[in-house]
Amino acid sequence: MLPAVAGLGALLLLSGCLDDPAPPFEITGEGSVDGVAYFDAERTGVFDPSGGDALLDGIRVEIRDRGTPRAFPGSQVETGPDGRFLVEGLPPGTHHVWVDETSLPEGVLLCQNPRSVSVYRLQAAAMEIIGEPVCLISIQEAKDAGVGAFVNIQGIVTATPGDIRSDYTYVQDGSTGIRVFGSLGSVGSELQRGDRVTLTGEIGIFNNDLQLTAPGVDEVEPGVGEIAPRAVTTSTIAEVGAENRDPLQGSLVVVRRAQLVDGFDGRNAPIDDGSGATEVRIETAISGGGDETIRENLGLQVGACYDITGVIGNFRGTGQLFPRDGADFVEVACND
């Protein structure tokens, strides 16, 4: 009989719970977002009027249900002359702060829009909306932006200042590579292949070769890892020569069993892996002298074949391969 008594007790306990009256109050409460919008001229992440930063007035802001375009009722506001905005009466939870970018002044960009904010009951969540002069984009997007565009890119260093020329650096990301033209200051002397570098600058052009000019270094991450060269043919280098926005332009590649067809004329010599000829160009950091001095300095022989690593460039539409040093030439048999 004991099991029956125990079962009856459990039933009475459950019945008692079901008969409990509703609580005398509901757990309620709303939160708010208290924010400020400003232009970060030097991209320091800290508001500093002496550095050209400015508060943003008249910016249209709304708080949205996360992952949807639906704004909470009463959450659509504008910033005041002090750049501040306040949205009250929000339900607790993680929401999105969205900015109408058409309300931003010319030259001010939002690199992340919307941004998440966590709202707690009876609390004000702080939020900064930071406008910037430029946003990080891929190198291919920077090329496509065209000459004169002010851009922010990040890539792995494939050639340091002094590899090819003292004023040439090459960087590459998952989309393409590009030459960086100009001094990188004291940072340039410390760069190594395989470092990741974040740069700002203007897209320029020299004899049809796109490059990042007037570069500024935002950040360097040492030792991320070198990029492996992509295997291409000499004819491919020739074919992409005129297309300065082609993803291969500025990228690190290797050609296999390319024959040095003739000697150097100036700093250029023809090479051919059997698919069609292109030019290899030796710049000043590799050999101070030109013409046959290059061949003598590097120990190259006309008619011999080499695996040659380098970055692709062009001169007035003619595709060229730029080795970085003598070690980028590895002599191999011309036939299997």
Side-chain angles (χ1 to χ4, degrees), residues 142-149 151 168 170 178-182 201-214 240-246 249 313-318:
K143 286 182 176 182
D144 292 340
V147 175
V151 298
Y168 281 12
Y170 281 85
I178 195 170
R179 180 172 67 215
V180 180
F181 176 73
E202 184 176 309
I203 297 296
I205 191 168
F206 176 73
N207 288 319
N208 196 54
D209 215 352
L210 291 177
Q211 55 190 13
L212 186 74
T213 62
V240 303
E243 301 296 329
N244 55 25
R245 296 185 185 183
D246 189 281
Q249 289 280 355
N314 79 88
F315 181 77
R316 298 178 182 175
T318 298

Side-chain angles (χ1 to χ4, degrees), residues 26 120 197 216 227 240 266:
E26 293 183 8
Y120 297 95
V197 61
I227 288 180
V240 303

Side-chain angles (χ1 to χ4, degrees), residues 35 59 66 74 112 138 141 190 260 272 282 298 317 326 334:
I59 305 304
R66 183 174 57 171
Q112 184 180 355
S138 73
E141 289 173 318
E190 299 176 359
L260 185 63
D272 192 347
I282 304 300
L298 298 181
C334 290

Side-chain angles (χ1 to χ4, degrees), residues 1-335:
M1 298 299 292
L2 287 177
V5 173
L8 178 61
L11 180 61
L12 291 173
L13 179 61
L14 177 60
S15 175
C17 291
L18 293 175
D19 291 338
D20 281 349
F25 60 89
E26 293 183 8
I27 299 176
T28 61
E30 298 171 328
S32 60
V33 174
D34 186 2
V36 63
Y38 68 90
F39 175 61
D40 187 4
E42 297 183 346
R43 306 173 74 216
T44 62
V46 178
F47 181 68
D48 179 12
S50 67
D53 295 356
L55 297 167
L56 297 176
D57 181 17
I59 305 304
R60 292 188 289 274
V61 180
E62 61 185 49
I63 312 300
R64 292 180 168 183
D65 190 9
R66 183 174 57 171
T68 78
R70 184 180 70 84
F72 290 107
S75 73
Q76 297 163 315
V77 297
E78 286 191 5
T79 59
D82 59 356
R84 303 204 68 87
F85 66 95
L86 176 65
V87 180
E88 298 179 300
L90 295 170
T94 301
H95 310 311
H96 278 165
V97 178
W98 180 83
V99 175
D100 181 355
E101 296 187 33
T102 64
S103 65
L104 294 171
E106 185 177 356
V108 177
L109 302 175
L110 288 183
C111 298
Q112 184 180 355
N113 186 33
R115 292 183 59 196
S116 294
V117 62
S118 294
V119 175
Y120 297 95
R121 188 174 69 90
L122 305 179
Q123 295 184 30
M127 168 61 64
E128 288 185 332
I129 296 173
I130 303 176
E132 301 182 49
V134 64
C135 295
L136 186 67
I137 58 176
S138 73
I139 297 176
Q140 188 63 56
E141 289 173 318
K143 286 182 176 182
D144 292 340
V147 175
F150 184 62
V151 298
N152 181 210
I153 61 172
Q154 183 182 79
I156 302 296
V157 176
T158 55
T160 65
D163 276 350
I164 297 173
R165 275 180 40 166
S166 61
D167 51 3
Y168 281 12
T169 307
Y170 281 85
V171 297
Q172 184 173 330
D173 64 10
S175 65
T176 185
I178 195 170
R179 180 172 67 215
V180 180
F181 176 73
S183 172
L184 299 182
S186 60
V187 173
S189 62
E190 299 176 359
L191 277 182
Q192 301 292 322
R193 297 176 192 172
D195 291 350
R196 179 186 287 129
V197 61
T198 305
L199 302 159
T200 54
E202 184 176 309
I203 297 296
I205 191 168
F206 176 73
N207 288 319
N208 196 54
D209 215 352
L210 291 177
Q211 55 190 13
L212 186 74
T213 62
V217 179
D218 295 342
E219 184 181 8
V220 176
E221 299 173 69
V224 173
E226 292 193 41
I227 288 180
R230 174 180 172 180
V232 299
T233 63
T234 51
S235 64
T236 297
I237 297 174
E239 289 166 3
V240 303
E243 301 296 329
N244 55 25
R245 296 185 185 183
D246 189 281
L248 280 176
Q249 289 280 355
S251 296
L252 186 68
V253 301
V254 59
V255 293
R256 306 289 187 189
R257 291 190 172 87
Q259 185 178 56
L260 185 63
V261 177
D262 204 346
F264 283 84
D265 180 8
R267 294 190 171 276
N268 305 328
I271 55 173
D272 192 347
D273 61 2
S275 65
T278 192
E279 288 184 348
V280 61
R281 179 170 178 84
I282 304 300
E283 281 289 359
T284 53
I286 302 176
S287 176
D291 299 308
E292 284 303 279
T293 303
I294 293 175
R295 192 170 60 81
E296 295 168 3
N297 288 343
L298 298 181
L300 304 177
Q301 299 296 323
V302 173
C305 293
Y306 302 88
D307 289 347
I308 309 173
T309 300
V311 290
I312 295 180
N314 79 88
F315 181 77
R316 298 178 182 175
T318 298
Q320 295 181 324
L321 181 63
F322 290 76
R324 302 163 298 175
D325 53 34
D328 278 342
F329 288 86
V330 178
E331 188 170 1
V332 295
C334 290
N335 300 305

